[in-house]
Amino acid sequence: MSRYGKFDDFCRDTGNTWSTLPVCYLFNEATTRLDQGWGGCTLEGFSVGGDKRLRNLGSILVDGIAILVLLFLLWRSQRKKAAVGRREMQLFLLGYIVISICEIFTIGGFPINDSVRIAFVAIHIAAITATSWILMLNGAVGYQLLDDGTAVSIGLLLISSLLIFIGTGYIALDTGFSWTGYWDNTLGTPNQAYALYTLYQLVPLVFLVIFFLLESFLVLRILGERKPMLYLIGAALLFAIGQIFQYVISVHICTGTDRKINGGLFESLFTLLAVVMVWVFWSSITEDDWPMPTVGDQGAYN
């Protein structure tokens, strides 16, 4: 717990001054501010002429593919007219499209102005938290506490996720631009930012775990099926592998490839695969003629 809220080790091991962890660009050690560094393996990427470099070309390419894949899944979702939670799933996919676009300009290292990069970082962090919230609510949709796809259901989802997005985004922006100076004590090593750590590192993980538990109970207890759990477990494993590449293996890849790539590329890839698997899981439980619970039916399953 003594390391709770501290980002310095994470930033050092995920690319140093060019970290593949977006939050690191808010701090003094990053190139967007004082360019002091954390003392790790600096991700250099590939030159694109002059002093311009694409620091994380692999993630940029994966994010480009991700946007195309997610647009295809949006189209496929639209065709599933009778599917439970169709609109809610589409909102989740849209959220991940926003994340993928932001990644190109944050961890991708696409050459842009430092202030613009900080703005993209704030949007990126806020989108991660809000999108994980949307995914968690998708896990509750199958219980039909509210009719899915209605104005009330979509409205509550949008309003709540927008509030999370604005709140998280403001903290990130105020940290990066020092508007009020309230978060300035987090800018230097060890970069102990409790609010950002909680909202960016802890809260999304809690939302993901709740989603997994809700869907597991729905499939195993209410639908009485096991096959869809293979897709759900697959999504969880793919996401976990991506995080291992990001936080554990990244620095070793950076060193072994002479600073050309690091674990951020694989984190982007495996997270995309996890999102696709979540969609496959959702599709699998909405294609078959399984009884879906309603509020009035809950007593039958107790």
Side-chain angles (χ1 to χ4, degrees):
M1 290 301 294
S2 63
R3 296 296 304 171
Y4 187 83
K6 297 178 181 179
F7 283 103
D8 55 332
D9 285 354
F10 292 147
C11 297
R12 179 197 64 204
D13 294 338
T14 57
N16 199 30
T17 54
W18 284 97
S19 174
T20 49
L21 206 63
V23 69
C24 298
Y25 292 97
L26 302 177
F27 304 130
N28 285 337
E29 291 80 1
T31 55
T32 46
R33 298 188 68 111
L34 302 181
D35 199 17
Q36 297 171 339
W38 286 273
C41 178
T42 298
L43 181 64
E44 295 183 353
F46 301 89
S47 174
V48 290
D51 60 348
K52 303 291 186 181
R53 305 184 71 87
L54 288 178
R55 301 286 173 166
N56 194 2
L57 178 59
S59 285
I60 292 176
L61 294 176
V62 170
D63 289 325
I65 294 171
I67 293 169
L68 296 177
V69 170
L70 293 165
L71 288 173
F72 172 74
L73 295 182
L74 278 169
W75 173 75
R76 285 294 305 272
S77 301
Q78 184 64 25
R79 291 172 60 88
K80 296 168 67 69
K81 300 294 185 181
V84 174
R86 176 168 60 103
R87 294 300 184 197
E88 290 80 359
M89 176 54 64
Q90 286 179 314
L91 287 175
F92 166 67
L93 296 175
L94 286 171
Y96 199 76
I97 287 177
V98 173
I99 292 173
S100 298
I101 293 173
C102 288
E103 278 194 356
I104 294 173
F105 300 102
T106 57
I107 68 172
F110 194 88
I112 54 175
N113 178 271
D114 289 340
S115 295
V116 176
R117 196 182 309 281
I118 289 175
F120 268 110
V121 165
I123 297 171
H124 191 173
I125 293 172
I128 288 173
T129 307
T131 302
S132 60
W133 167 257
I134 292 172
L135 180 61
M136 185 192 74
L137 293 185
N138 266 266
V141 166
Y143 292 88
Q144 294 288 276
L145 302 176
L146 289 174
D147 290 336
D148 63 289
T150 61
V152 174
S153 175
I154 299 299
L156 288 174
L157 190 153
L158 283 175
I159 292 172
S160 59
S161 58
L162 185 60
L163 290 174
I164 292 174
F165 181 89
I166 292 173
T168 305
Y170 172 77
I171 293 174
L173 285 171
D174 197 4
T175 301
F177 290 112
S178 297
W179 288 336
T180 65
Y182 184 82
W183 313 99
D184 284 359
N185 63 330
T186 69
L187 298 180
T189 305
N191 312 116
Q192 192 162 21
Y194 289 114
L196 283 175
Y197 196 95
T198 301
L199 290 169
Y200 169 60
Q201 295 282 81
L202 181 60
V203 168
L205 181 60
V206 172
F207 290 161
L208 293 179
V209 170
I210 293 174
F211 168 77
F212 183 88
L213 294 176
L214 286 172
E215 294 290 39
S216 297
F217 183 82
L218 177 69
V219 170
L220 296 174
R221 180 73 187 277
I222 297 177
L223 299 182
E225 295 291 329
R226 293 184 179 180
K227 182 179 177 181
M229 286 301 299
L230 296 177
Y231 305 128
L232 187 61
I233 293 173
L237 289 176
L238 287 167
F239 177 78
I241 291 171
Q243 299 310 298
I244 292 172
F245 270 105
Q246 176 78 296
Y247 291 102
V248 180
I249 306 177
S250 186
V251 64
H252 304 292
I253 297 176
C254 179
T255 303
T257 60
D258 195 25
R259 305 173 186 263
K260 292 294 190 297
I261 63 173
N262 69 2
L265 159 63
F266 301 99
E267 187 275 337
S268 297
L269 175 61
F270 280 102
T271 303
L272 169 61
L273 295 176
V275 169
V276 172
M277 196 59 66
V278 165
W279 187 90
V280 172
F281 164 77
W282 167 78
S283 179
S284 73
I285 64 174
T286 55
E287 282 182 347
D288 295 312
D289 187 21
W290 291 335
M292 299 305 293
T294 61
V295 176
D297 294 332
Q298 292 302 308
Y301 299 103
N302 292 333

